[in-house]
Amino acid sequence: MRASRFGSTALLGCTALLITTVQAADRGTNGRVEEVVVTGTREAEQLRDFAGSISLVKGDDVTVVGSTHHSEIMNRAPGTMIQRNSGEESLTAIRSPVLSGPGSCGTFLFLENSVPIRPTGFCNVNELFEVNSEQASSIEVLRGPAGVIYGSGAMHGAINVISAQPGEMPAGSVALEAGPDEYYRGKLGLSHKSDATDIGGVVVASHDGGWRDSSGLEEQKLNVGLTHRRGDAQMGLDLAATNLNQETAGFIQGFNAYRNEAIARSNPNPEAYRDAYAVRLTGRYEQPLSENMHLAVRPYARYSRMDFLQHFLIGKPLEENGQESVGVLTALDFTAFNNTRFLTGIDIEFAQGFLEETQAGPATDGAPAANAIRPAGKHYDYRVDSRVAAIYGQVEQPFAERWRATGGVRYEYVDYEYDNRMIDGNTAENGATCPGGCLFNRPADRSDDFNNVTAKLGLSYEITDDHTLYVTATRGYRAPDTSELYRLQRQQSVADLDSERLDSIELGARGFFGPLNYSLAAFTMDKDNVIFRDSNGFNVSDGRTKHEGVEYEFSWAALETLSLTLAGTYAKHTYDFNRVIEQGETIVAGRDIDTAPRHINTARLNWNFVPSAAAELEWVGVGKYFVDAANANEYPGHDLLNLRVSWHVTDHWRTLLRLNNVTDRAYADRADFAFGNYRYFPGRGRTLFVEVRYEME
């Protein structure tokens, strides 16, 4: 792996901070903060023992923020920037640029209770709306590769939404919320506990009239959990279901168009919509096999469907897709020999997915030549059966009193069986040809398989009980997405793609000095076999990118009633190859990747101004970024202020006020440059939401 000047500087800078930490640690502390438990290895463990970067968003933060979109709560983690598009849509960045395109979602892994919410090869960039982040017990954001434990997809990072277990829930809770533009939301929670069995569930239902024209939505989410204890064993079932019916607002166009309120509220695509629903059922079986051995088995079944109008394409075709999958995740965690910890398991998954694309009539919204190659009727209709099998193992060995070494390896096999339900080639649905060939190319039936091996090496040193240093070298990977392999265009009849691969080195420290909590990390990463569409419109996998940066988190309880939290990142994400790509853009090695701000920072000041009430003032700063590969056009960035006030009226009643974008700043949730013009998803102006909650004991 090549180490650039920036990467070396970042690592040296972090090392200097670590030396300062060592010196300060010798002065001792007067108290300990609560131990933080995370599930970075699927199994619960102390954060101080985890060799890597992981941020925990706690349940009370979820309640106070009351996010109307998952970006509002998940962007509290450093190195994370989820951009809001229209409604519940989003694009994700975790220790990366904001990635878009058919397989970009496969670069991140989205989990619910440590189980992926989608099968390998069938991701969707918007799939985070399928999890109930609004009522989560906690949210974990893993930054950097986590492939040894989680497999394909956990390259740049993973988001794990943890649902409240029945034993942790109050007997009953209800909340009602209202906001502008006919926004209403209701939340309900119920639970029952006995000596052997706990059962509980939560539901949230939202109605939003939409602040932009023709952009309303209806959304419902349900989570039900059952836990049964028999002796030392624990068994459970978790049901998750979501439904979304959304009117979608498209990009507004023109330089700085988001600064014009009338344009920002407009919707150039009032015909666009997205309907989606998903159901997941997960089993849990945990059994201590001996004093030092623990078995966990998680079988699961998943089902999802999505229909949406591709308003951003000429001809505005309708896409219909869906997946069904079953699988099992296993983990055997045991300690042997000289306190050596072994974690091993086998993961198996079977899935079937489909995709259909249909254009209702002749294309009329493009240039004549572009319209001519987009005939009415079906463009794609295919099915893919997939099989995934993996075996992994990880060893943690303490030595020399305060040192701990970690090593892990995973082998994963992914197999796709593709079945084209239409005429092969790039003709119209009835076999008619287009001038120069139709845009859509349907490969003949085929099978593809991918074999990947990933590894992790880590070393940590516990300076004192309160301070830990670590260094890791990790590889992440993802198998190509089925849409990259089989949804081809022009003259490409076979996409011969390799799995993307990312190699990472990270140096970090975490700990606390009395009331000051800190976490620091410096990283350098090289990504190979990057999949993109070249100037011929072909899907190829020979791109390279580099990613280097520093992340920080500080939390300081200055007084019993006053605390300050800072989190952020400085990172540089650059191309490492030269190529002309689709739409004539030229990639040059060393240039910034588009939509990759170097600075992303947040700060939160919390003040308990009376015993029963508290306020949080939050600053969110997004630095400027280029919006095209040529680095010729840019978005200047923005700074936002949000204010939240929580008042416990009684032991059971609570009122929350949320004032977002306090200064009424004009900004863009997403900025883009395509087809010779700036495009934006505008950010919302100042808005006030009011929530009233009631909780039983």
Side-chain angles (χ1 to χ4, degrees):
M1 181 184 298
R2 292 175 295 164
S4 72
R5 184 176 180 180
F6 177 87
S8 301
T9 303
L11 291 172
L12 287 172
C14 191
T15 302
L17 288 170
L18 304 187
I19 293 172
T20 303
T21 300
V22 173
Q23 295 171 342
D26 291 337
R27 295 193 291 268
T29 60
N30 297 321
R32 296 184 59 86
V33 297
E34 62 177 314
E35 295 287 3
V36 177
V37 177
V38 295
T39 58
T41 58
R42 288 190 192 157
E43 303 302 305
E45 63 178 327
Q46 301 294 341
L47 176 59
R48 63 177 179 173
D49 295 333
F50 181 73
S53 291
I54 182 169
S55 295
L56 179 69
V57 180
K58 297 182 180 180
D60 192 55
D61 291 333
V62 173
T63 299
V64 170
V65 171
S67 55
T68 59
H69 186 273
H70 45 269
S71 61
E72 297 170 14
I73 187 67
M74 295 177 183
N75 286 353
R76 292 163 87 93
T80 304
M81 186 175 74
I82 298 174
Q83 288 188 332
R84 183 173 190 169
N85 295 348
S86 177
E88 292 300 305
E89 298 173 349
S90 64
L91 293 173
T92 301
I94 304 174
R95 199 173 276 185
S96 71
V98 173
L99 298 177
S100 61
S104 61
C105 46
T107 303
F108 314 103
L109 195 61
F110 304 128
L111 308 115
E112 183 177 55
N113 301 323
S114 300
V115 178
I117 65 173
R118 285 285 188 102
T120 298
F122 299 96
C123 71
N124 183 275
V125 293
N126 301 292
E127 66 192 60
L128 267 174
F129 63 63
E130 294 181 357
V131 292
N132 189 350
S133 56
E134 296 92 334
Q135 295 170 293
S137 172
S138 62
I139 300 172
E140 298 173 352
V141 181
L142 291 86
R143 305 187 301 279
V148 168
I149 301 299
Y150 289 111
S152 181
M155 287 181 62
H156 282 278
I159 295 176
N160 191 11
V161 177
I162 309 296
S163 304
Q165 293 303 304
E168 305 168 350
M169 296 171 57
S173 64
V174 63
L176 297 175
E177 183 178 2
D181 301 303
E182 299 181 7
Y183 182 88
Y184 307 105
R185 181 164 63 179
K187 302 174 185 175
L188 177 67
L190 296 171
S191 70
H192 175 74
K193 308 173 187 67
S194 66
D195 291 340
T197 304
D198 303 329
I199 185 170
V202 294
V203 61
V204 56
S206 305
H207 167 85
D208 189 351
W211 73 275
R212 297 180 63 192
D213 296 341
S214 302
S215 63
L217 63 83
E218 304 279 350
E219 185 178 34
Q220 305 85 37
K221 298 181 180 181
L222 170 71
N223 290 81
V224 178
L226 171 70
T227 300
H228 178 70
R229 294 169 291 276
R230 179 180 296 174
D232 292 333
Q234 181 171 288
M235 296 161 280
L237 281 174
D238 294 310
L239 172 69
T242 63
N243 179 65
L244 174 68
N245 302 108
Q246 171 182 302
E247 296 178 275
T248 301
F251 281 111
I252 57 172
Q253 298 195 34
F255 179 64
N256 285 344
Y258 62 89
R259 295 182 178 176
N260 185 311
E261 184 177 356
I263 297 176
R265 286 184 171 274
S266 69
N267 178 9
N269 301 104
E271 74 286 356
Y273 69 92
R274 184 182 298 272
D275 294 336
Y277 60 93
V279 180
R280 297 178 297 277
L281 183 64
T282 305
R284 293 178 282 113
Y285 176 77
E286 299 181 13
Q287 172 71 62
L289 303 180
S290 68
E291 183 179 353
N292 298 316
M293 185 176 294
H294 181 265
L295 174 67
V297 181
R298 293 185 178 93
Y300 59 84
R302 301 172 299 206
Y303 179 93
S304 67
R305 291 289 184 270
M306 184 184 299
D307 302 339
F308 69 99
L309 192 69
Q310 299 175 93
H311 59 89
F312 44 85
L313 298 180
I314 295 174
K316 298 179 175 57
L318 173 69
E319 178 180 323
E320 303 168 85
N321 65 64
Q323 304 86 31
E324 300 100 33
S325 57
V326 295
V328 62
L329 307 177
T330 65
L332 183 64
D333 189 352
F334 61 97
T335 303
F337 311 123
N338 186 25
N339 291 322
T340 305
R341 181 192 178 195
F342 294 89
L343 180 64
T344 185
I346 296 173
D347 299 340
I348 298 173
E349 178 180 274
F350 299 94
Q352 182 180 78
F354 75 89
L355 184 143
E356 299 178 13
E357 180 180 298
T358 308
Q359 186 175 300
T364 59
D365 50 334
N371 292 336
I373 61 175
R374 295 169 167 85
K378 272 191 179 181
H379 299 158
Y380 302 100
D381 183 355
Y382 63 77
R383 304 290 187 271
V384 180
D385 292 334
S386 75
R387 295 182 291 271
V388 179
I391 184 170
Y392 68 91
Q394 182 167 294
V395 180
E396 295 180 8
Q397 177 63 63
F399 65 96
E401 189 175 356
R402 292 189 174 274
W403 291 87
R404 180 189 301 266
T406 302
V409 65
R410 180 188 184 95
Y411 167 75
E412 184 168 288
Y413 171 77
V414 178
D415 175 68
Y416 299 136
E417 298 291 335
Y418 159 78
D419 177 21
N420 178 34
R421 303 294 185 91
M422 296 179 62
I423 300 172
D424 298 342
N426 62 343
T427 67
E429 181 181 10
N430 60 4
T433 60
C434 303
C438 299
L439 176 65
F440 315 101
N441 200 332
R442 298 172 292 274
D445 294 354
R446 56 181 286 118
S447 62
D448 295 275
D449 60 79
F450 303 90
N451 295 271
N452 289 288
V453 177
T454 185
K456 174 180 180 177
L457 293 174
L459 185 65
S460 61
Y461 174 63
E462 197 173 290
I463 306 168
T464 70
D465 290 344
D466 304 334
H467 304 275
T468 302
L469 312 179
Y470 68 86
V471 61
T472 63
T474 318
R475 168 166 289 184
Y477 66 93
R478 77 166 178 96
D481 193 82
T482 53
S483 59
E484 294 171 316
L485 288 165
Y486 310 124
R487 196 177 189 174
L488 305 182
Q489 294 186 3
R490 299 178 176 88
Q491 303 303 314
Q492 186 178 24
S493 56
V494 174
D496 186 15
L497 303 178
D498 293 325
S499 296
E500 289 190 348
R501 184 178 69 241
L502 183 145
D503 292 318
S504 169
I505 295 177
E506 177 178 337
L507 176 65
R510 65 171 62 93
F512 57 88
F513 303 96
L516 175 64
N517 248 352
Y518 70 91
S519 176
L520 302 167
F523 63 88
T524 178
M525 307 189 300
D526 287 347
K527 186 160 69 169
D528 296 323
N529 302 332
V530 175
I531 299 172
F532 64 98
R533 199 181 293 275
D534 67 12
S535 57
N536 295 316
F538 287 15
N539 288 342
V540 296
S541 59
D542 56 1
R544 287 178 55 91
T545 57
K546 295 183 68 65
H547 313 268
E548 304 163 315
V550 178
E551 298 163 345
Y552 67 90
E553 278 187 283
F554 294 99
S555 180
W556 179 39
L559 302 169
E560 187 175 344
T561 58
L562 190 68
S563 65
L564 175 67
T565 301
L566 306 173
T569 182
Y570 173 80
K572 187 176 181 181
H573 308 283
T574 56
Y575 297 107
D576 198 26
F577 71 113
N578 301 297
R579 182 71 67 86
V580 178
I581 60 173
E582 193 177 32
Q583 299 179 20
E585 281 199 275
T586 300
I587 287 176
V588 176
R591 285 179 178 168
D592 283 18
I593 302 173
D594 65 275
T595 326
R598 296 194 180 182
H599 298 273
I600 305 172
N601 299 282
T602 65
R604 297 184 296 277
L605 182 66
N606 292 271
W607 179 31
N608 286 84
F609 52 90
V610 295
S612 60
E616 176 187 88
L617 181 64
E618 178 185 50
W619 165 68
V620 178
V622 175
K624 66 181 180 180
Y625 56 85
F626 293 110
V627 293
D628 58 353
N631 290 184
N633 302 279
E634 70 177 21
Y635 172 69
H638 59 257
D639 297 280
L640 301 177
L641 284 176
N642 303 310
L643 177 64
R644 303 170 181 116
V645 179
S646 173
W647 177 32
H648 287 271
V649 183
T650 69
D651 290 341
H652 301 290
W653 289 94
R654 185 179 186 185
T655 300
L656 298 108
L657 304 178
R658 306 181 182 103
L659 184 63
N660 295 334
N661 195 0
V662 173
T663 61
D664 203 23
R665 171 72 184 270
Y667 72 102
D669 276 317
R670 173 169 172 77
D672 185 30
F673 190 89
F675 307 106
N677 205 354
Y678 279 90
R679 309 188 303 176
Y680 304 98
F681 281 112
R684 196 173 189 177
R686 181 168 49 235
T687 50
L688 175 65
F689 297 88
V690 180
E691 179 180 346
V692 177
R693 299 176 61 89
Y694 174 79
E695 281 192 8
M696 300 170 60
E697 295 295 341

